[in-house]
Amino acid sequence: METMKVNDITANDLPWKIRYDASRCTLCGSCVAACSFRAIIPKVERRRMVFSEGDFPEPKQRFSAVPVIRQAHSIKNYCRGCGICEKVCPNDAIGPVRNVDSRHPIVTRCLGGDSIKRGGRKNLEGTTRTLDRLRVGRISQMTDPSLDAQRHTFDMLAPFGRILPSRKLPLGVSPEGLLQADGQTPPVHWIYPVIIGDMSIGALSWRMWEAVAMAVAYLNEECGLPVRMCSGEGGVPVKLLKSKYLKYMILQIASGHFGWNRIAKAMPHMIEDPAGVLIKIGQGAKPGDGGLLMAQKVAEHIQAIRGVPKADLLSPPNHQGLYSIEESVQKMFLSFNAAFKFRVPVAIKVAASATSVSVFNNLVRDPYNIVGGFFVDGIDGGTGAAHEVSLDHTGHPIVSKLRDCYLAAVNQGRQGQIPLWAAGGLGKTGDLAADAFKMICLGANGVFTGKLILQMAGCVGNEMGRCNACNTGLCPVGITTQEPALVHRFDVDRAAQNIVNYFLAMDQELKKLMAPIGNSSLPVGRADALVATDRAVAERLQIQYVC
Amino acid sequence: MCRIGAIKSLNYVHPSQALLLMQSQQKGHDNSGFAMVMHDLGGIFEGYKHLPTLSLACTDEGLKIAEDMLHAAGFQRVLQWVPDTSQQPGLDIIAMPNYVFETFDYPKHYKKAEAKEKEDLLLDMRLKLRKALEKDELGFVYSFWPDVLTLKEIGDPKDIGTYFNLWEPDTKFTAKVITAQCRQNTNYDIVRYAAHPFFLQGYTALANGENTFYLKNVEYQRKLHRGYIGFESDSQCFLYTLHYVHRELGWPLSYFKHVITPLPFEEIGKREDQASLLAIRQSLAHLEINGPNTIIGVLPDNTLFTCCDAKKLRPVVIGRSAEMVVFSSEVCGVNEILPDRDWETDIYPHEREVVAIDSSLEVHRWKQ
């Protein structure tokens, strides 16, 4: 008997245990080949077999070496529960089972002397989402008839860009009694109220990024939905920068300024303006943290686009040189506005936090009318890589913070001047239309979403700790990896098709929600259309309580 | 459903005409109230067109408070008219003790003031009076403006007419523009302020229907102007938007429709004036209305106009003779007032149209 070492890692210490039935296994090797984490390995076991060959029982025993599949007992190659082995097994012989007795958070830190990092979304669950406590409660009837979602036309567009207060509009009355523009106004684009959130070309595989870009182009050009996608911080391929499809892209710049050297160089060759510029100050999944792209994901083409060597790429949490909202952001906004000759709206993205309303208030009063949008991102937002402690324990829910920002604008009579865009766990249950509609009623002009887009494309991760390995570069479905073998698992066309279909379904559902409240344009701030089944939620959001 | 109507005439008209216009549509409303605003006054008020008239329903105590406040502010009363009321038993009316229509001369130091200064003074005075009389419902101040008179009451319109002796025409109490509505609003409590038409600084508006963007409108309007208060009815917003667009922003009336029911983006994109239409749609998104309604409005120059929601879910018809134009929810109302008109020239405004009648009764029609 071997000496027992109690500190050795066993499957029971890990978050998932592999269920394996040797009697069903044909040893085809598919599961081992498919496991991107190397969490299962082939092994040889010495097996004792009792047999009898004569007419009467005459038991004999035989020992033989038998190949089997075993779980790796390694903190590096632990099973993420992605279920790819189960997916590829022809005989249902293998699959992951959640281990409720996992010691993973302890042993990982003990052995690694480092913080646990992962992708995905916040994993501390336990309460019903606020949005699920809200219902659309004001239904038009009789004198105020509901609309017909199939027949009526709906104006489902949201502004992206600074809106001037009516008294500041440069409009004069001509001798013929017509209003005429006699001055410049900030650029405003009216776009679909759901933006595909900022996921960088380094975080996603090149095929996934291509799938999203393809879906966006298709939605715009074939389906008539002016959906925009945000590039994320990592820059954009030069070919795309010089193409007509740039008009569907919102270029993001974060503190690392990754990829902007190329963007700046491509400017003279751009035949279209980008849809906007988004300055990322903070994000909801890991507020107060910068960007994080592990070296294993920094493939050659990422190095080229970002202009960096293969190394962990960390964006600092703050923009160097941005020390006050008034001076620094204005300076930055002015430079980006000027770079695109004041034709492209420039917005800002912050993490929902106790301080985000202060930032919003400050920007609303911006005398240059240059802040083109306020993107607020809540704690349930997803990320490609973050320290687990940040994901689980920092951040602020989006719903009340969005409402705070809207009501702050209402109190100043400035609602709508800086369009509010909200995100962070929207579509978490799969029903983005309902979440988006409720957020719009609470005051958002539109929403943005990232994680759900990945799920549309086939991401198997969930909020219960399944997979969430976006940071490792070993994404088993080829979405957040640059490993060619894994990326080739990914079907670009199918993913693009899924995204397009989801948007079409969601568009129909949004109409199905707008019609019963009798609105043909987006019900921004129509909190009277909502009711809450929870008194605390009702009071906090200033909407009607029902029971 | 509310029934609304309006008369604009070259000659002075008695309110009995408005009562007839509304009463003929009696099956379409619920007998819960009647209200009217008269512009361009005749009869005993004809000689005082330049001086403001206060329209007040109040208790004895309320009357004293109001008069004391006006005198303290320097206003001097030049005319008072108290309608004879017939307090017969069985009338369906929840009446106030006093109905007072008083014309005042401006305070001495305002004699040489600019028109705008005087207009602001009148608004502030009305707001102050309203605030002072609000407690314990001492009184309701409907309008305080030159050449305008307002009457609102809760009850059966027929009985309200009887109570105020309005069924019998006379030449003492007349106007060239009268707007009227039957039915109290149902969205909130029945209060006198909630009855249409609503009035502010020379602008009158009344509407039938709903405003599903009421909350958006109110939240925005509250910060736009000190006069935008009350919001006892969801359609009060229409008046404030009219006032804001036409008076505060100084835009032509035709743009009111662009604000309340903007064109779809697709159509804006095809227009030559898309820059200004987009700017309006962007900056005044919170003044947009959604929901079925027909609006009738009067401007300070006594122009009368009407327009509908963008889906044309509420009816309105305009009938004309050489001397009179009548707006009505139902054609039977026009038939009652102008039985001999050429009904083939009646106008049924469409969902993108504004129809305005100027002082010479010329009809202006604008397609949005």
Side-chain angles (χ1 to χ4, degrees), chain A residues 143-144 155 157 163-164 166-167 169 171 177-179 188 190 406 411 415 518-521 524-526, chain B residues 210 212-213 215-216 219-220 223 244 248 251-252 255 264-265 276 281-284 286 288 290 292 311 314:
Chain A
T143 62
D144 172 21
D155 247 0
L157 295 180
I163 309 288
L164 287 184
S166 50
R167 287 182 196 275
L169 283 177
L171 291 175
L178 293 173
L179 287 182
V188 179
W190 284 84
Y406 180 72
N411 283 336
Q415 57 266 57
N519 278 182
S520 49
S521 55
V524 181
R526 265 208 70 189
Chain B
E210 305 275 340
T212 55
F213 273 164
L215 183 71
K216 285 180 74 162
E219 285 181 341
Y220 194 64
K223 296 284 171 184
Y244 186 71
E248 296 297 305
W251 294 352
Y255 289 92
F265 287 101
S276 41
R281 175 142 207 194
Q282 283 163 196
S283 294
L284 295 174
H286 287 265
E288 188 184 331
N290 239 271
K311 294 174 200 72
R314 283 286 185 277

Side-chain angles (χ1 to χ4, degrees), chain A residues 106-133:
Chain A
I106 300 162
V107 293
T108 310
R109 288 177 177 110
C110 288
L111 293 175
D114 191 11
S115 163
I116 300 175
K117 297 173 199 70
R118 63 172 169 84
R121 268 201 284 240
K122 176 175 166 285
N123 278 357
L124 295 178
E125 289 299 309
T127 54
T128 312
R129 295 186 324 151
T130 306
L131 284 172
D132 294 333
R133 296 179 192 276

Side-chain angles (χ1 to χ4, degrees), chain A residues 253 279-283 289 317-319 322 329 348-351:
Chain A
I253 182 158
I279 300 174
K280 193 214 81 175
I281 303 291
Q283 55 208 322
D289 230 344
N318 60 340
H319 288 254
L322 297 189
V329 177
I348 181 170
K349 175 176 143 180
V350 301

